[in-house]
């Protein structure tokens, strides 16, 4: 939520690099955007606008801005509508700030400052920060002292970067809850929400810990931890500099990322399969091996991966699994016996609700495991054991390749647990590992012929106002994921249901205008799902079947169908994820929505 960046150069104008960094941060929010610099006289200057980077570039063309030091911000609105006035950086004559997070006690602070005669120009929570700091500077404090007196007054989560009038060689960053990384470039220092923002500029990075304050000057950074003591954080080489961060000729990042899945699934498997023995091995998971119950917490798409993980682990390893969404779990006073294990699944590794749940579980004596795509993220760093999805950066706001990478790890985890707990023979394990290893090729085969998905999305989904997705067993979480994908990028109202639940209420929605997508691969539940499909048909509904040839032969009266290769039921979620993603993608393209940056959303959800 909101991307922030600060740059300090000894030799060049930082505005082009700020814009470049903001481009890579847009996945965090994109409703308004701005930059601030110091002019040669040391005064603060800003350019801000509603909209995305393109709007800011246009504005800068009309009203140029330059400077050797500056801040940038791309916003996902929490308090105050997306508008130029509410866009960051917020500034006074003394200082400018960019903020990611929420200042929960902003109203109290604002009321007090208003009575003291300060004037506010925005409806944001963030503006109080710049007023507090400026007030202290006016009272005679140096910038660092002013920031140190301000931070304890703030409640909530924040990553903040401060720029001060007449201080050409100073940026201050502070982190509580929201992530911040600092980069060391050639005659350049950078600070930003993540490595993607600053990695291409800086070969070496450090990540601030919670409570850290960073004083950035040319060539150096001084870190003060939450106890007020000087601290050292390890420097790492940025892996981002060498990555391909473009669309490689694809029309959208989402499409590129869908097509990367055979590779990503294969790469993730290769991190776990011993090439000599052909057997799976995962990092040592002592709590998991001891536990008699596993709690999995995640949000959104990651929570549907978790649900599939539950089905796999319970069936194969006979270990009870609870799946919860972070926002509910952390506030409902859950009962957890010490010494059990909890698993957190997150692409970004920064989702506030998932992270809050992790910290609660840690307090309650749980062993903490995570499945994360960004290894330097907070969730990754706060886990006892990290299972990394090796999917590379995902820019499309809708998760695709990271979903299947999460599933790959969960499938492997289920097999390792099943073997360890004595529920799977070596022969069965070998069979299921082979099935997993065939997935990349099967996915590649499906991706080689996307015409039927495109046609179906264009003809049946894009014109619809409402769409239902149903499935049973492993296909039920896929139905949930299919509906989420469709609504988030095409804005078509869609709901996913367990196929057996349809008759308990949702079937009332069925008429000839509501396409019902039935995810029904051939598995032990096929005939039951086929009956549910028939029930929809009997009520004049229009059913779209996603399954295989054997299944198709057993049903009739379809409005449309997608036929996939026949596969081992174990790997259904990995393979069927692809048509589900593509149906949403092509429906969105037909409707002309902003596929990579759908309205109202952001990729990294660092607020509650
Ligand atoms: C949907 C989507 C979101 C995320 C959710 C959790 O396509 O991407 O539902 O899955 O916001 O994000 P992470 O995985 O970063 O914790």
């Amino acid at each position: 939520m909101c991307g922030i960046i600060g740059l300090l150069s000894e030799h060049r104008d930082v505005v082009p690099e700020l814009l470049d960094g903001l481009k890579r941060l847009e996945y965090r929010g994109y409703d308004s955007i701005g930059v601030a610099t110091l002019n040669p006289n040391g005064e603060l200057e800003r350019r801000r606008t509603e909209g995305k980077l393109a709007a800011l570039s246009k504005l800068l063309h009309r009203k140029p801005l330059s400077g050797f030091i500056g801040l940038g911000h791309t916003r996902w609105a929490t308090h105050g509508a997306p508008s130029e006035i509410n866009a960051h950086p917020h500034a006074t004559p003394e200082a400018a700030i960019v903020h990611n997070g929420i200042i929960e006690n902003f109203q109290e602070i604002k009321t007090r400052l208003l009575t003291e005669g300060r004037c506010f120009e925005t409806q944001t929570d963030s503006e109080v920060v710049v007023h507090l700091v400026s007030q202290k500077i006016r009272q005679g404090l140096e910038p660092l002292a002013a920031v140190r007196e301000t931070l304890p007054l703030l409640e909530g989560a924040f990553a903040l970067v401060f720029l001060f009038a007449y201080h050409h060689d100073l940026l201050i960053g502070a982190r509580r809850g929201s992530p911040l990384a600092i980069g060391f470039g050639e005659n350049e220092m950078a600070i930003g929400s993540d490595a993607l923002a600053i990695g291409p500029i800086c070969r070496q990075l450090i990540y601030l810990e919670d409570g850290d304050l960073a004083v950035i000057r040319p060539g150096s950074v001084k870190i003060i931890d939450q106890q007020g003591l000087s601290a050292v954080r390890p420097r790492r080489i940025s892996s981002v500099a060498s990555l391909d961060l473009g669309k490689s000729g694809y029309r959208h990042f989402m499409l590129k990322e869908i097509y990367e899945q055979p590779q990503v699934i294969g790469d993730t498997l290769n991190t776990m399969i011993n090439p000599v023995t052909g057997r799976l091995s995962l990092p040592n998971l002592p709590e998991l091996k001891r536990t008699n119950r596993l709690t999995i917490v995640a949000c959104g798409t990651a929570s549907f991966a978790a649900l599939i993980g539950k089905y796999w682990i319970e069936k194969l390893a006979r270990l009870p699994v609870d799946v919860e969404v972070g926002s509910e779990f952390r506030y409902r006073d859950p009962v957890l016996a010490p010494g059990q294990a909890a698993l957190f699944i997150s692409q970004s590794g920064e989702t506030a609700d998932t992270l809050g749940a992790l910290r609660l579980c840690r307090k309650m004596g749980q062993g903490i495991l995570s499945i994360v795509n960004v290894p330097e993220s907070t969730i990754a760093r706060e886990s006892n054991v990290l299972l990394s999805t090796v999917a590379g950066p995902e820019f499309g706001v809708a998760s695709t390749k990271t979903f299947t990478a999460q599933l790959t790890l969960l499938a492997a985890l289920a097999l390792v647990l099943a073997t360890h707990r004595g529920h799977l023979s070596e022969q069965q394990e070998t069979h299921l590992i082979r099935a997993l290893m065939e997935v990349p090729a099967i996915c590649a085969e499906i991706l080689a012929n996307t015409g039927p998905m495109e046609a179906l999305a264009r003809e049946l989904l894009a014109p619809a106002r409402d769409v239902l997705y149903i499935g049973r067993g492993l296909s039920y979480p896929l139905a949930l994921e299919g509906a989420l994908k469709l609504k988030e990028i095409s804005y078509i109202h869609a709901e996913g249901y367990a196929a057996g639940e349809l008759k308990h209420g949702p079937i009332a929605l069925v008429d000839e205008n509501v396409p019902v997508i039935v995810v029904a691969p051939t598995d032990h539940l096929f005939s039951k799902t086929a009956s549910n499909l028939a029930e929809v048909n009997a009520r004049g509904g229009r059913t779209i079947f996603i399954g295989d040839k054997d299944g198709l032969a057993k049903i009739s009266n379809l409005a449309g169908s997608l036929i996939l290769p026949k596969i081992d039921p174990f790997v259904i979620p990995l393979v069927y994820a692809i048509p589900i993603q593509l149906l949403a993608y092509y429906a969105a393209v037909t409707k002309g929505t902003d596929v990579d940056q759908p309205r109202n959303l952001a990729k990294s959800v660092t607020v509650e």
Side-chain angles (χ1 to χ4, degrees):
M1 302 269 115
C2 298
I4 65 180
I5 182 166
L7 290 174
L8 192 174
S9 174
E10 291 168 54
H11 67 302
R12 60 174 166 171
D13 176 19
V14 295
V15 172
E17 280 175 311
L18 284 176
L19 297 187
D20 219 42
L22 287 174
K23 186 167 160 213
R24 289 187 295 274
L25 282 171
E26 264 195 329
Y27 76 92
R28 301 177 73 92
Y30 36 77
D31 59 42
S32 50
I33 188 162
V35 286
T37 57
L38 289 188
N39 68 23
N41 300 328
E43 291 148 357
L44 286 155
E45 286 199 43
R46 293 184 283 170
R47 301 288 183 270
R48 300 173 298 156
T49 175
E50 187 180 340
K52 301 184 183 181
L53 185 65
L56 181 64
S57 302
K58 259 195 204 156
L59 174 66
L60 287 166
H61 194 68
R62 284 201 322 274
K63 293 171 76 180
L65 186 75
S66 62
F68 282 25
I69 185 166
L71 302 179
H73 187 276
T74 175
R75 181 167 184 246
W76 186 84
T78 58
H79 296 69
S83 64
E84 180 185 337
I85 283 290
N86 287 332
H88 300 221
H90 298 302
T92 65
E94 292 80 23
I97 63 126
V98 285
H99 170 220
N100 166 32
I102 293 181
I103 308 298
E104 287 171 357
N105 59 338
F106 84 98
Q107 200 55 60
E108 283 159 59
I109 300 174
K110 188 167 175 174
T111 308
R112 176 169 65 73
L113 290 171
L114 283 168
T115 58
E116 289 169 16
R118 287 204 77 95
C119 294
F120 280 74
E121 64 169 15
T122 80
Q123 289 85 50
T124 67
D125 54 326
S126 317
E127 194 185 354
V128 297
V129 181
V130 75
H131 284 292
L132 286 171
V133 160
S134 303
Q135 199 179 45
K136 293 179 190 306
I137 291 175
R138 281 184 176 199
Q139 288 161 0
L141 291 189
E142 283 300 311
L144 177 57
V147 172
R148 291 186 79 171
E149 284 202 1
T150 296
L151 296 179
L153 306 175
L154 307 177
E155 286 169 17
F158 53 77
L160 285 161
V161 185
F162 299 81
L163 168 68
F164 303 92
Y166 313 112
H167 291 265
H168 287 275
D169 58 354
L170 173 66
L171 287 172
I172 295 182
R175 174 192 170 158
R176 193 196 294 160
S178 308
L180 263 185
I182 292 174
F184 301 77
E186 254 178 56
N187 304 317
E188 242 157 21
M189 297 293 293
I191 179 165
S193 299
D194 62 23
L196 284 179
I198 59 175
I201 311 165
C202 302
R203 257 187 68 69
Q204 291 190 30
L205 297 178
I206 58 172
Y207 292 91
L208 294 187
E209 306 262 317
D210 232 21
D212 281 354
L213 180 85
V215 183
I216 301 166
R217 296 198 179 271
S220 76
V221 58
K222 182 175 171 217
I223 294 172
I224 302 166
D225 70 14
Q226 56 189 342
Q227 273 82 43
L229 303 172
S230 177
V232 178
R233 306 287 173 228
R235 280 201 199 193
R236 304 156 196 245
I237 300 296
S238 158
S239 52
V240 175
S242 57
L243 289 176
D244 169 16
L245 301 177
K247 290 187 201 150
S248 310
Y250 287 91
R251 183 166 169 196
H252 295 103
F253 278 114
M254 183 177 175
L255 191 61
K256 174 181 177 230
E257 288 156 6
I258 289 173
Y259 271 85
E260 282 172 354
Q261 290 177 106
Q263 172 94 37
V264 165
I265 295 169
D267 288 351
T268 305
L269 280 174
N270 284 338
T271 62
M272 299 176 297
I273 295 179
N274 182 320
V276 180
T277 61
R279 312 234 9 220
L280 282 169
S281 63
L282 288 173
N284 194 14
L285 313 167
E287 283 90 352
L288 193 56
K289 288 191 169 160
R290 280 198 305 265
T291 198
N292 57 9
R293 174 154 228 106
L294 173 66
T295 303
I296 312 185
V297 185
C299 300
T301 288
S303 74
F304 302 146
L307 206 49
I308 291 168
K310 171 186 168 82
Y311 281 37
W312 273 330
I313 294 168
E314 290 194 338
K315 184 175 171 69
L316 293 167
R318 313 306 302 152
L319 173 67
V321 179
D322 298 314
V323 172
E324 306 235 16
V325 291
S327 51
E328 286 301 312
F329 175 82
R330 59 186 296 202
Y331 293 116
R332 69 161 181 75
D333 211 357
V335 181
L336 299 170
Q340 294 184 330
L343 168 63
F344 302 85
I345 306 179
S346 174
Q347 183 285 127
S348 61
E350 300 294 350
T351 299
D353 288 319
T354 310
L355 179 59
L358 181 155
R359 288 177 177 161
L360 174 68
C361 283
R362 179 172 295 294
K363 263 199 211 142
M364 296 179 76
Q366 307 294 290
I368 308 290
L369 278 98
S370 63
I371 291 182
V372 171
N373 195 44
V374 182
E376 307 84 9
S377 63
T378 313
I379 291 177
R381 283 185 287 126
E382 294 194 14
S383 302
N384 301 115
V385 175
L386 166 68
L387 303 177
S388 270
T389 47
V390 286
E394 188 176 65
F395 290 101
V397 161
S399 295
T400 52
K401 62 176 178 173
T402 54
F403 176 64
T404 44
Q406 288 161 357
L407 291 179
T408 307
L409 283 173
L410 286 163
L413 185 61
L415 293 181
V416 169
L417 284 171
T419 308
H420 172 75
R421 293 166 65 87
H423 293 288
L424 205 62
S425 67
E426 199 174 322
Q427 200 187 3
Q428 287 167 316
E429 188 198 6
T430 307
H431 168 79
L432 294 176
I433 292 174
R434 281 215 187 107
L436 271 179
M437 288 172 75
E438 282 166 15
V439 168
I442 298 168
C443 292
E445 186 187 330
I446 295 171
L447 286 165
N449 179 23
T450 57
M453 297 163 220
E454 193 172 352
L456 215 149
R458 191 179 55 240
E459 287 155 25
L460 295 177
L461 300 189
R465 209 189 64 180
D466 307 286
V467 172
L468 297 181
Y469 255 102
I470 61 170
R472 279 178 183 259
L474 291 169
S475 302
Y476 162 51
L478 283 174
L480 297 174
E481 172 62 359
L484 177 64
K485 277 298 84 98
L486 190 62
K487 64 187 143 196
E488 72 180 324
I489 61 167
S490 74
Y491 314 149
I492 296 168
H493 171 239
E495 298 299 335
Y497 288 104
E501 273 293 297
L502 207 63
K503 57 186 174 293
H504 296 292
I507 203 162
L509 297 171
V510 167
D511 65 22
E512 68 285 0
N513 297 316
V514 181
V516 180
I517 304 178
V518 186
V519 187
T522 299
D523 61 8
H524 65 298
L525 295 168
F526 175 81
S527 57
K528 297 196 183 300
T529 314
S531 302
N532 301 135
L533 182 149
E535 287 154 17
V536 173
N537 281 341
R539 284 155 184 83
R542 287 194 303 157
T543 46
I544 298 168
F545 171 79
I546 309 185
D548 51 42
K549 259 204 235 141
D550 292 2
L552 184 68
K554 294 183 193 142
I555 48 181
S556 55
N557 226 355
L558 295 168
S561 62
L562 285 179
I563 301 310
L564 305 185
K566 181 116 193 279
I567 52 174
D568 190 299
F570 177 53
V571 298
I572 284 169
L574 283 154
V575 173
Y576 278 62
I578 302 233
I580 274 166
Q581 296 163 352
L582 283 167
L583 283 177
Y585 174 76
Y586 287 121
V589 169
T590 307
K591 292 196 72 183
T593 57
D594 190 340
V595 171
D596 283 333
Q597 297 181 336
R599 68 185 180 203
N600 303 339
L601 295 177
K603 185 132 189 92
S604 183
V605 187
T606 55
V607 294
E608 287 191 39

